[in-house]
Each structure stands twice: as C-alpha cells, then as structure tokens.
Amino acid sequence: GAAESRSAEYPARLDLELGVICSMGFAGYFLIVADFIRWARENGVPVGPGRGSGAGSLVAYVLGITDLDPIEHDLLFERFLNPERVSMPDFDVDFCMEGRDRVIEYVANKYGRERVSQIITYGTLAAKAVVRDVGRVLGHNYGYVDKIAKLIPFEIGITLDKALEQEEELKRLYEGDSDIRELIDLARSLEGLARNAGTHAGGVVIAPSVLTDFTPLYCEEGSTTPVTQFDKDDVEAAGLVKFDFLGLRTLTIIDWAVRDINGSRALAREEPLVMSALPMDDAATFDLLKSCKTTAVFQLESRGMKDLIRRLQPDRFGDIVALVALFRPGPLQSGMVEDFIARKHDTSGATIDYLHADLKPVLAATYGVILYQEQVMQIAQILAGYTLGGADLLRRAMGKKKAEEMAKQRSVFVGGAVARGVREAQATHIFDLMEKFAGYGFNKSHSAAYALLSYQTAWLKAHYPAAFMAAVLSSDMDKTDKVVTLIDECASMGLTVQPPDVNESVYAFRVSGPMSIRYGMGAIKGVGASAVEAIIEERTADGPFESLPDLCRRIDLQRVNRRVFDALIRSGSLDRIGPNRATLTAELDRAMHLGEQNSRAMSVGQVDLFGLSAAASNGAVPDWTESQRLAGERETLGLFLSGHPITPYEPDLKFLVSARLADVGGPRPAVPADGMRSWSAGKATTVAGLVLEIRRRPNRVTLILDDRSARLEVSLYEEIFQQHRDIIVKDAILIVDGTLRFDDFIEAWRLQAKSLMDIDRARERYARRLWLRWPAEFDGSQGMNRFEQMLKPYLRGPCGVSVSVNRPDYTGRLNLADTWSVHASRALLDKLTDVVGREGWYLVYGPRNDVRGEETSSWR
C-alpha cells in the first residue's frame, strides 16, 4: 500500500543523493560536518534540528546532521544541492550558545590549529558613520555632527550622494555652509572604506594544508586566535570551504529545561524526557498555541505573530511550518495569508482550488496556496516534466525576475505542460501564479526545521511551565527589561516567582516547586558571578547561613564586598536571616568588621571565641517604608517583587477610576464589514497606573502605565504633555482621563489622554470624608490636644473627619465639626498610617459614595 511505496522511496532517494554528492566531490564535506555534530551530541552540546535548505537531504538525516525526515515532510534535496548547477553545499549548524566554542575547539584540535580559523568581517565607513568619524577628527562638537548625521535617511545601502538627493534640508546645509560642505566632501572621499575588523558570527574554515597556503591571517591585539584576512566571499573564491557554527539561545533554553526536568524524573524513577521522541500531535501544545500564549516560544512570540496564530488556529505541525513561512512582509502584503486562513477554516473545502487535479498532493498541506519554494519546483516537475534540478533553476530565475530568462522558461513550462495534456490557457495561468508567488515563496526545509524548535518550546511550556520559564529567565537574566516581561508572563501562567534568597538561590533562576521559580542571584544588579560562587560554595560546605554576622564570618569578603551585601539586602536576598532590611543595613558595617577580624584571626591560626557573641545584634530598628523597600527592589532587580507602589492606593481606586487596567476595553472588537474601524468611536475612560516608560516622538508622547493587574499604552499630544510635564515622570502614579480605542497596529487597547492628575492630588481633591479609628495612644486628658496638634497643619480643607471610638466605657462614631475638616494630603495620610496603621483609616469620595464607602470598611 501507501506505506510500502513510501518506504521504497528511501533507498532510491539515498542512491540519487549519494550519486550527486560523490560526483560533485562533496563526500568529505558531509563527513566532516557529521563528525563534529556527532562529537557535539556525545559531549553534551545541544545541536539544532537543521536550518536552511540542508534539511532537504536524506543523507544528512541519516548521518545525524539534521533531525527531520525530508521524505515525511516533502523536502527536496535539489533545493540544497543541484546537480545541474554546481555550487558549494552549505550546512548552517546551530549549537547551544554555551557549547559552540567547545565544538570549534574540537575541530581545531582534530584538523590542526594551523588549518582551522574563524573568518574576518569588515565594518565599512557607511554614510552616517563616516560623517560622525570625519566630524570628530575635524574637531566639531558632538551635537553639531549629530544634527548632520541624523539628516541622512535610515535605509539599507544609503550613500551620501543619495542622501543629498533625497533630503532637502541636508542639501540646503551643504550648499549654504562651507564647514558642512567640507565635512561632507571629505566624508564622500572616505565612504565605503573598511573601518574596523571583526569576527564572523559563525564562519569557520578548515583548510587541506596550512591556512597560509590559501589566505593571509590577521590577529587582533591581545588575542591569540588569528582569523582569515579574506572575508567569507574571498575565502570561498580562494577555494576554501566555509562551515557555519552558529549559536542559538533556544537550544540552550531547551537543554537547561530538559536537564532540570530529567533531574526530577530520575528522583521519581521515571524515564528521561527525550525531545526528539515527542509526539507531534500533542493536544495540550496546540491548545497553548491556539490561545496565543506564545511568549518565549521560539519564532512565535511577537505581537503580530500572535495575531496571525489567533486567526489561523494551528492544529497540526504543518500549520506551524506555514506560520514561520507566512509571517514575513511579502506574504502579509500579498493577500495570501488571508487566503490561507479562509481556506483552512472552510470545512466544506469549497474555497480550495488545487489549480490542477495532479497538484493536489503538492498543495494539500497549504490548502491550495503556493507557499514554499519546494512547491514551485514540484509543480514544474509534475505538470511540465522538469527535472527537480531544472525546476530549481526555474525557481531561481523567478526569484531574480529577469524578463529574458522568464520568457524562455515560460515557453519551456507551457510546452511541457501541453505535451502532458494540460490546456495551454491553464498552463499559462499556473505559470503566472508560480511567478507571482515565487517571490514570496519560503524555503520549506528551513521553515520545517525551525517549526520543530517552535513545537518543542511550546510543548515544554505546556507540560513543564516552571522548568521552561526558569530556563528562559536564566537565558535573559542580564536583560532587565526582558526579565520584567517574562515575570509578568509567569504571573499570567499562574507561576510564582519567589524572591532571591541567600540560602536557596543559585546563580540562575531555578524551579522551587511544581508551580514556582526561585529568583537567581546572578540577576541582581551589583552581584557578580564570583560573589554568587563564594556564597554557594560556603553554603554547600557548611550549611545554610543563620544570620548576617554568620554570613560575614564564613564568606570570603574579598569576593563579597560591601556593594554586593548592599544589593543582596535591598533585593530581599537576606530577608530570612534578619529582622528586616533596615536592621540588616544598620548592622552591616559591624558584621563585616567582625568578619574581617575573624578572617585575620583564622589566617594566623587563632580561634575567635568571642566573635559570634560580639556580633549579637543591637536590636531591630524600624523597617523601611514600603516605598523605600520597593525602590530598593527596583534598583537591584529592575522590578517590584514583594509588592507594587499602587497597592496602598487600591482601596481608593474603585472611587477614582472607571476600571482596573486588566478590565479596560474587554475583548478585541470585531472589524466592521468595510474593514475600517472608526477612530472616533472611542469610549470615555478613567484609569490609574504607575508610569513605567515614557517615549518621546515628534508631536506625540507615549506612556506605559502599570497598575499591577495589567499594562496600557497611553498617547498624549504634545500640548497635553507640556501642560502636565511636571507630573509625568517615571514611577509617578497618575490618574488619566481619556478616550479608549482599539489600535490595530499594536493589536491592543490604547488610551488617548485628555487630562492627567497625580494620584495624591486626586485623593486630596475628591475625598469628602476621612474616617479613622481613634488612636489608643491619644486616650486620656491630653488626648484631644495631641490629636488636634497632629491635624493642625492640614485643617481648613474640604474633607470632613469622622472617628470610630472603641473603648471599654464607650463605643461609637463621631462626626467632628466642620472646623476639623482637613486637606487629605499624602503627608497627613502617611502620618495617620504611622499612628493607626493603613487599616486604621479610609476615605469616602463624594456624597454618592458615602454609603458605599461605609459598607467597604473592614474595621467597623
């Protein structure tokens, strides 16, 4: 049956490929690549499933170079090596970021260091760079030169001559200012020259004899590893073969996650997880994809890609391959994405046109849409009798759009198709479609190989969320902004990110429970790898630290200095070995001094009998305020971990805003039949949030607000910004009135601001009554006097005062006379919090909220 005919393809395909590889003289190339990949796998260096057209080779699959069966996925060998056009084979091999250098080291040792080298790259004096460099040498100040450089359009391949043609202002300055003319004329004479040398990201050459027989070498000052002086094109022209050793962070993430998972599985006596053996039809994985929860999933995490996934609703591996190929400017602008989605969701199949009955097997996987370059090649083979090698030449010609070559190919294609019984008009129509889509067509071999990594990361996220997110966080721990986004994603997944802890944390993030992750000490700003290493070594050797003096006594204070301790305290890493962060800070100098004393005594062989008792605490000091504590976390971790600055205001928000940010807008609105959303049809909304980011653009400012429940983009026209610029600062908490609309470009709701107010000012302005619990410390004859003194600086305001008294002799509520009315300012409320606690007072906003306000009280 079908299975037998499919299995018969394998020996025939192997014979064909081996014949081509050996006749072209590339057997050695395949064997070298297979050897270093085999070494990498055997030595714990993760290797990618393949990238580029190499995944179309069955020989590569059999040798272990690639992980995808090309016959199962309809990948073509001729897309990689064409027997009708001799070109060098080129395997781009992805390695784990951590292990890539080890593989290059292995190759250098195996073939001889004098025969193996990385490849040089040359940075050139491009238009903007040459203007900046010449300006600096001529002694012009930075602002002057920067103004000129910024007038050069930001586009690939721009030259100074083109810039002078395109940019009127630059041309005007050039013609009217002799200094600028001199600068640009000098820059034009230098433009395009090599500016600096670097090392190619992945290229390595292996020569048959010493490298200097083929290329001069270059060695940077301070480096011991030379690179070729020829760049990648000249290296190949000189007859050397280039191998690509690329580092891919996703492989590192998968490796870390699997190592963690298999450690747990071994303890539970379960079989280890093998990523290459995953079922490719896992329901939980496709449910995760269809719900667009693809943050941190390889290739599928951008906002635009999530929207494409939402519309496509992938439910099989072939759909993921298609997603990778579809999400590019060409397909998105050509209308083929809409065709693809409509045809996928048409259960009757009425919209699917396979162009010709014989093409159904080729186009079925893409619902009749010509999406892959390999499909163009197969259509030419099936309909017009091309060899696959000839079909690859046709594909190349279509991509280059050379009119003369295309006219020749058209007559060959149509003639071949007619000879096979296809109507001439139909053959011409199909050729026109192929020509149109060849420009957009994507290499299916590359798409399938990368889709495999997308599937594997989605599978890990669906089945082992904590291990996967810990690995992702660890891979980006040096990028604070990314860590913040990923911790938000953890919260949305129901994962708890526990604060760093000197007795629990390691350098990286790690799983600390089925749905929890422990913060890595390496992600704390100001704490380096050496300090973390010292802490873990001592903790492993002699157990957990019991107190700050114990930590200072046992640790090497050369590796963990005061700056490190300060960062550890402010990040919360020492919370469990001290009363509070303020006390730890107050004790730090003394504890370090005793630690140094102890080290000196140990070095001369003395035992300090009194060191620990001398280190006894002077007693706890009052802890920092919440805002001080959160500020310390923000400085050391880049985010608020133990709370949020908006939390103290949450009882007031229900009276001051229309909705929390998580509830703003609701689901994405449907697009009207005409496809045009009315920008005027917005909804008046009031929101509050912490200003995380301020982006300035000409005539417009964008704020990112965060209220702990979600984030929202707020747009301000320049005049609104200028009116409120004194309060629009990072970390301010603002109340914003505006119009809410759905923005199709960012695929999210956006607020167009009309007015803004600082939240403390809003509280003071709109509060109508202050209810507070009578402070016990004000009982007695002098009590009322002390109470008056506390309120005195804030009297004569619009906010009435009521007190709740709960004493053995009297329980009740008193509304104080109007003479006691106050301004409910931040200073007064902070003072009250110090006396009665945050639970000891609340505000009522306006007459309509009086009853509701009283009902919300938790203490009467």
Side-chain angles (χ1 to χ4, degrees):
E4 284 175 24
S5 67
R6 198 78 173 158
S7 64
E9 286 182 49
Y10 288 88
R13 172 81 168 253
L14 278 174
D15 283 346
L16 169 89
E17 289 193 18
L18 287 168
V20 171
I21 292 163
C22 296
S23 68
M24 292 173 92
F26 295 142
Y29 177 84
F30 272 72
L31 292 170
I32 288 170
V33 175
D35 174 70
F36 64 67
I37 287 178
R38 176 198 54 75
W39 182 88
R41 291 188 202 278
E42 288 174 1
N43 288 273
V45 178
V47 185
R51 89 149 72 184
S53 52
S57 166
L58 184 62
V59 168
Y61 177 60
V62 169
L63 288 172
I65 293 171
T66 59
D67 284 350
L68 279 175
D69 179 342
I71 291 177
E72 186 186 325
H73 294 281
D74 287 320
L75 310 179
L76 304 181
F77 173 66
E78 288 78 4
R79 178 66 188 80
F80 177 56
L81 267 190
N82 186 346
E84 297 177 36
R85 180 183 175 275
V86 177
S87 62
M88 292 298 293
D90 187 12
F91 283 116
D92 294 338
V93 187
D94 289 314
F95 293 103
C96 153
M97 296 290 284
E98 288 193 313
R100 173 181 171 273
D101 292 343
R102 285 173 56 208
V103 186
I104 296 173
E105 183 75 7
Y106 162 75
V107 170
N109 289 335
K110 174 155 186 149
Y111 299 104
R113 290 183 177 276
E114 70 287 354
R115 300 182 182 204
V116 176
S117 167
Q118 288 184 257
I119 299 169
I120 206 164
T121 55
Y122 290 107
T124 57
L125 285 161
K128 281 178 182 279
V130 74
V131 164
R132 290 183 191 280
D133 281 357
V134 169
R136 190 179 69 247
V137 171
L138 290 176
H140 294 301
N141 70 51
Y142 175 80
Y144 177 80
V145 178
D146 186 56
K147 185 180 76 173
I148 301 163
K150 280 182 174 167
L151 290 172
I152 299 166
F154 189 76
E155 63 181 69
I156 292 169
I158 191 75
T159 63
L160 287 170
D161 287 342
K162 271 195 210 166
L164 285 165
E165 280 172 35
Q166 290 177 26
E167 188 55 56
E168 284 297 322
E169 177 65 7
L170 184 66
K171 189 177 179 182
R172 188 184 67 74
L173 289 170
Y174 176 78
E175 289 171 352
D177 186 320
S178 59
D179 283 349
I180 290 177
R181 189 181 312 117
E182 180 195 21
L183 190 158
I184 290 177
D185 285 343
L186 265 172
R188 283 159 86 182
S189 65
L190 296 170
E191 189 177 13
L193 294 177
R195 182 181 190 273
N196 59 294
T199 303
H200 189 277
V204 173
V205 287
I206 303 173
S209 60
V210 294
L211 277 162
T212 46
D213 291 348
F214 302 89
T215 169
L217 299 178
Y218 167 81
C219 195
E220 260 188 2
E221 198 177 331
S223 170
T224 54
T225 51
V227 293
T228 64
Q229 267 189 55
F230 291 162
D231 69 11
K232 64 184 176 59
D233 298 323
D234 290 339
V235 153
E236 291 191 341
L240 289 170
V241 182
K242 174 173 73 78
F243 298 82
D244 278 321
F245 291 69
L246 300 158
L248 186 63
R249 192 174 293 278
T250 299
L251 295 174
T252 311
I253 290 168
I254 292 172
D255 181 49
W256 286 348
V258 170
R259 245 188 273 173
D260 200 338
I261 292 160
N262 283 341
S264 304
R265 286 172 78 120
L267 291 172
R269 294 204 164 89
E270 293 174 8
E271 288 292 307
L273 173 64
V274 180
M275 293 307 286
S276 58
L278 292 183
M280 299 306 289
D281 57 355
D282 179 65
T285 303
F286 285 105
D287 286 347
L288 179 131
L289 292 177
K290 285 192 272 193
S291 63
C292 302
K293 293 175 180 170
T294 55
T295 298
V297 174
F298 182 62
Q299 298 270 298
L300 306 183
E301 60 179 324
S302 72
R303 188 180 271 159
M305 178 60 97
K306 284 178 180 176
D307 183 54
L308 180 55
I309 293 167
R310 182 186 55 74
R311 292 188 286 148
L312 181 66
Q313 293 291 290
D315 53 14
R316 55 181 185 161
F317 181 68
D319 287 345
I320 305 177
V321 181
L323 279 169
V324 176
L326 285 167
F327 192 66
R328 293 173 301 117
L332 289 168
Q333 289 159 17
S334 70
M336 67 197 283
V337 171
E338 280 66 33
D339 280 354
F340 191 96
I341 291 167
R343 293 178 183 198
K344 174 174 170 60
H345 295 305
D346 177 13
T347 49
S348 68
T351 58
I352 299 181
D353 172 15
Y354 294 114
L355 308 177
H356 188 279
D358 292 351
L359 298 182
K360 185 171 179 180
V362 173
L363 295 176
T366 54
Y367 313 103
V369 175
I370 303 171
L371 177 58
Y372 304 117
Q373 295 167 355
E374 285 85 343
Q375 288 173 315
V376 171
M377 293 165 66
Q378 286 169 306
I379 292 168
Q381 180 195 33
I382 291 166
L383 277 197
Y386 277 68
T387 62
L388 282 171
D392 185 53
L393 297 177
L394 166 66
R395 175 195 66 77
R396 286 169 181 271
M398 285 177 162
K400 288 178 180 167
K401 295 184 169 56
K402 288 187 179 168
E404 195 181 319
E405 177 69 14
M406 286 311 300
K408 199 194 310 175
Q409 290 284 2
R410 180 185 291 273
S411 66
V412 173
F413 180 89
V414 174
V418 169
R420 283 172 138 66
V422 181
R423 286 181 299 105
E424 185 174 343
Q426 189 181 14
T428 305
H429 172 64
I430 290 170
F431 187 87
D432 289 342
L433 277 176
M434 288 165 64
E435 188 176 4
K436 177 186 173 188
F437 287 113
Y440 305 135
F442 197 67
N443 177 346
K444 189 180 182 184
S445 297
H446 181 75
S447 200
Y450 267 21
L452 183 59
L453 290 176
S454 302
Y455 180 84
Q456 289 178 350
T457 49
W459 189 94
L460 285 168
K461 189 175 182 185
H463 291 274
Y464 291 95
F468 176 69
M469 290 307 292
V472 173
L473 280 159
S474 298
S475 77
D476 277 318
M477 62 198 294
D478 56 335
K479 302 185 187 83
T480 305
D481 290 350
K482 197 79 192 283
V483 168
V484 173
T485 306
L486 292 168
I487 285 178
D488 287 347
E489 178 67 7
C490 288
S492 74
M493 293 164 67
L495 292 170
T496 304
V497 178
Q498 297 177 313
D501 186 312
V502 77
N503 281 329
E504 296 280 341
S505 293
V506 290
Y507 185 78
F509 289 80
R510 73 169 185 188
V511 177
S512 57
M515 292 296 283
S516 67
I517 294 168
R518 176 67 70 181
Y519 215 98
M521 283 191 284
I524 303 169
K525 289 179 191 172
V527 179
S530 172
V532 177
E533 213 174 87
I535 290 165
I536 294 169
E537 279 170 16
E538 177 55 38
R539 189 176 77 199
T540 308
D542 289 322
F545 304 104
E546 292 172 12
S547 63
L548 181 60
D550 181 44
L551 175 61
C552 291
R553 181 178 61 84
R554 289 165 53 186
I555 214 79
D556 179 354
L557 296 176
Q558 298 296 312
R559 292 164 75 185
V560 186
N561 59 25
R562 196 189 197 292
R563 191 172 54 86
V564 173
F565 275 114
D566 193 49
L568 289 169
I569 291 168
R570 289 189 299 146
S571 67
S573 302
L574 307 186
D575 281 3
R576 286 165 65 189
I577 62 168
N580 57 49
R581 295 179 197 179
T583 305
L584 287 163
T585 303
E587 285 186 350
L588 181 56
D589 287 335
R590 190 156 176 263
M592 287 188 74
H593 176 66
L594 289 164
E596 285 161 2
Q597 250 182 320
N598 186 65
S599 296
R600 284 196 296 272
M602 295 285 278
S603 66
V604 294
Q606 293 177 348
V607 178
D608 185 359
L609 295 174
F610 304 105
L612 275 180
S613 58
S617 168
N618 289 333
V621 300
D623 198 5
W624 293 333
T625 62
E626 182 166 35
S627 58
Q628 284 175 306
R629 191 185 78 244
L630 292 175
E633 289 176 16
R634 178 71 177 265
E635 283 169 38
T636 53
L637 304 175
L639 69 157
F640 308 114
L641 200 61
S642 65
H644 193 287
I646 208 163
T647 306
Y649 297 95
E650 284 181 340
D652 308 288
L653 289 182
K654 53 179 159 297
F655 306 114
L656 296 173
V657 301
S658 319
R660 297 298 296 269
L661 297 186
D663 305 319
V664 156
R668 172 195 177 117
V671 178
D674 63 4
M676 297 296 290
R677 221 187 284 286
S678 168
W679 189 238
S680 62
K683 185 172 96 177
T685 305
T686 304
V687 298
L690 180 87
V691 178
L692 285 185
E693 203 178 320
I694 303 168
R695 298 184 203 138
R696 295 289 309 269
R697 290 190 182 85
N699 305 320
R700 184 175 286 270
V701 178
T702 300
L703 309 181
I704 307 294
L705 289 191
D706 178 329
D707 76 343
R708 202 165 66 105
S709 74
R711 288 181 183 174
L712 180 71
E713 275 199 16
V714 176
S715 292
L716 296 86
Y717 291 119
E718 184 66 24
E719 59 269 28
I720 301 286
F721 174 73
Q722 293 301 339
Q723 283 169 28
H724 300 91
R725 66 179 304 152
D726 56 323
I727 61 168
I728 300 174
V729 291
K730 210 169 174 189
D731 292 345
I733 299 176
L734 302 180
I735 290 185
V736 186
D737 290 308
T739 307
L740 188 72
R741 303 182 180 95
F742 192 82
D743 187 327
D744 288 300
F745 180 71
I746 64 167
E747 301 293 338
W749 292 94
R750 181 199 285 270
L751 191 73
Q752 184 68 51
K754 292 183 177 170
S755 67
L756 299 93
M757 190 183 289
D758 172 85
I759 195 164
D760 291 316
R761 177 79 188 93
R763 254 191 340 190
E764 185 174 346
R765 181 170 171 182
Y766 297 121
R768 289 294 166 264
R769 185 154 293 276
L770 167 65
W771 276 97
L772 72 147
R773 185 187 289 123
W774 180 257
E777 64 193 77
F778 288 176
D779 285 354
S781 57
Q782 296 301 309
M784 202 63 189
N785 192 35
R786 290 175 64 199
F787 182 66
E788 184 183 10
Q789 290 307 309
M790 183 172 71
L791 296 190
K792 197 170 186 179
Y794 313 101
L795 292 175
R796 295 190 175 79
C799 183
V801 177
S802 300
V803 293
S804 173
V805 182
N806 189 1
R807 289 168 30 179
D809 57 332
Y810 175 76
T811 299
R813 290 177 294 176
L814 300 171
N815 293 331
L816 304 189
D818 289 348
T819 53
W820 289 86
S821 292
V822 294
H823 294 278
S825 67
R826 170 78 179 268
L828 170 61
L829 298 175
D830 282 350
K831 195 178 281 189
L832 289 174
T833 301
D834 289 341
V835 175
V836 296
R838 181 60 188 87
E839 297 301 310
W841 63 265
Y842 72 96
L843 294 168
V844 176
Y845 292 86
R848 64 193 172 86
N849 291 333
D850 274 353
V851 176
R852 188 170 154 211
E854 291 184 20
E855 286 174 355
T856 59
S857 165
S858 59
W859 47 264
R860 274 179 296 108

